[in-house]
């Protein structure tokens, strides 16, 4: 057996699709919510009690999902990269970003639960503007600095174990279904080939639920499920 055959395969850029999709979903949602908040400010009459309640429910799921994403990175991903690349890597800046973002998420949830109070609407819009700016900058920084560390040092087996563990604590009916709305056609075809039929059926069922959830908030349907 050669030494090359003993060397574990490193994570490839293609292996990072799940994390890229998670980031796309985050930016898509914060952008849509920011636009929604601007419409609330400009035309409150277009929002009834049911839509405010649906918005609060959606934001609650969004906030919980993003908290989970940050916790997985802080508690599992950074240690995995450090163990693979060595103690010289420094995630202080990214962790500090999380420390700034997480209170904004909590503040966002507080404002949505107080809708349609005019002060809450104003706070909802203001917080989303700040959150959107921070998230776009943070995710760009993270992909630029972290992705090369993963593909340069983390084995594919370790990455697969990390992704499997990271799914625990999330909500498939919210987190997984939103991925398909941000995939390219090639990515959708790849996922369709890789997903077992039972999972595709589950995604199809959850996606219908998610489209109803999104229509109640954003007023338009999303892409159909892949199942």
């Amino acid at each position: 057996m050669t030494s090359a055959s003993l060397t574990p395969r490193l994570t490839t850029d293609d292996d990072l699709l799940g994390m890229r999709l998670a980031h796309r979903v985050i930016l898509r949602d914060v952008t849509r919510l920011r636009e929604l908040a601007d419409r609330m400010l400009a035309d409150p009459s277009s929002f009834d009690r049911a839509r405010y309640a649906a918005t609060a429910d959606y934001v609650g799921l969004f906030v919980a999902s993003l908290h989970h994403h940050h916790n997985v990175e802080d508690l599992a991903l950074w240690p995995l990269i450090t163990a693979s690349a060595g103690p010289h890597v420094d995630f202080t800046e990214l962790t500090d970003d999380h420390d700034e973002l997480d209170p904004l998420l909590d503040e966002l949830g507080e404002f949505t639960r107080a809708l349609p109070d005019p002060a809450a609407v104003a706070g909802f819009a203001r917080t989303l503007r700040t959150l959107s700016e921070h998230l776009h900058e943070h995710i760009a920084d993270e992909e630029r600095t972290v992705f090369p560390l993963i593909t340069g040092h983390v084995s594919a087996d370790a990455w697969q174990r990390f992704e499997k563990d990271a799914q625990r604590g999330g909500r498939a009916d919210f987190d997984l279904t939103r991925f398909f709305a941000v995939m390219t056609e090639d990515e959708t075809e790849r996922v369709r080939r890789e997903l077992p039929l039972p999972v595709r059926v589950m995604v199809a069922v959850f996606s219908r639920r998610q489209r109803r959830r999104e229509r109640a908030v954003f007023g338009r349907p999303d892409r159909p499920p892949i199942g």
Side-chain angles (χ1 to χ4, degrees):
M1 184 176 293
T2 66
S3 59
S5 64
L6 294 173
T7 303
R9 180 179 75 84
L10 289 176
T11 304
T12 67
D13 194 66
D14 284 345
D15 295 330
L16 298 180
L17 176 61
M19 195 165 184
R20 291 186 189 279
L21 293 175
H23 286 170
R24 285 185 214 166
V25 163
I26 291 168
L27 296 182
R28 172 179 179 263
D29 260 0
V30 76
T31 298
R32 292 196 302 169
L33 288 169
R34 178 176 178 173
E35 293 170 352
L36 184 79
D38 289 341
R39 292 199 297 274
M40 281 186 188
L41 281 175
D43 185 16
S45 64
S46 64
F47 290 79
D48 57 17
R49 289 276 179 179
R51 193 173 185 187
Y52 282 122
T55 299
D57 289 343
Y58 194 95
V59 170
L61 292 170
F62 172 73
V63 166
S65 178
L66 199 42
H67 274 314
H68 174 68
H69 183 81
H70 288 168
N71 286 337
V72 165
E73 290 180 337
D74 289 339
L75 301 178
L77 182 54
W78 304 162
L80 170 62
I81 297 173
T82 300
S84 303
H88 63 280
V89 293
D90 185 4
F91 297 106
T92 302
E93 184 175 342
L94 294 175
T95 301
D96 288 347
D97 283 351
H98 290 173
D99 290 341
E100 292 180 9
L101 287 164
D102 287 343
L104 283 173
L105 290 170
D106 294 337
E107 184 178 278
L108 184 67
E110 292 172 4
F111 282 129
T112 53
R113 288 190 292 272
L115 296 174
D117 179 82
V121 173
F124 180 56
R126 183 176 62 251
T127 302
L128 275 166
R129 285 193 292 270
T130 303
L131 182 65
S132 177
E133 292 168 0
H134 283 22
L135 281 173
H136 277 83
E137 181 178 354
H138 170 71
I139 286 175
D141 288 344
E142 185 175 296
E143 293 191 353
R144 183 177 61 253
T145 59
V146 173
F147 283 12
L149 290 171
I150 297 171
T151 57
H153 300 280
V154 178
S155 72
D157 287 343
W159 181 253
Q160 289 172 3
R161 289 193 297 271
F162 162 75
E163 286 201 309
K164 185 175 181 179
D165 290 342
Q167 292 170 7
R168 298 192 180 100
R171 283 190 49 162
D173 67 323
F174 184 71
D175 294 320
L176 180 60
T177 55
R178 293 180 301 149
F179 278 21
F180 296 100
V182 297
M183 288 182 188
T184 66
E185 290 184 6
D186 288 345
E187 290 166 349
T188 302
E189 183 58 31
R190 169 186 162 184
V191 171
R192 181 184 286 113
R193 290 194 305 267
E194 295 176 355
L195 281 182
L197 180 59
V199 178
R200 289 177 56 188
V201 172
M202 178 191 72
V203 170
V205 172
F206 285 164
S207 292
R208 287 193 289 272
R209 183 185 305 171
Q210 179 64 15
R211 290 202 306 278
R212 290 194 297 270
R213 182 184 285 137
E214 294 192 3
R215 280 197 298 269
V217 178
F218 303 108
R220 59 182 182 273
D222 213 329
R223 288 177 58 178
I226 68 166

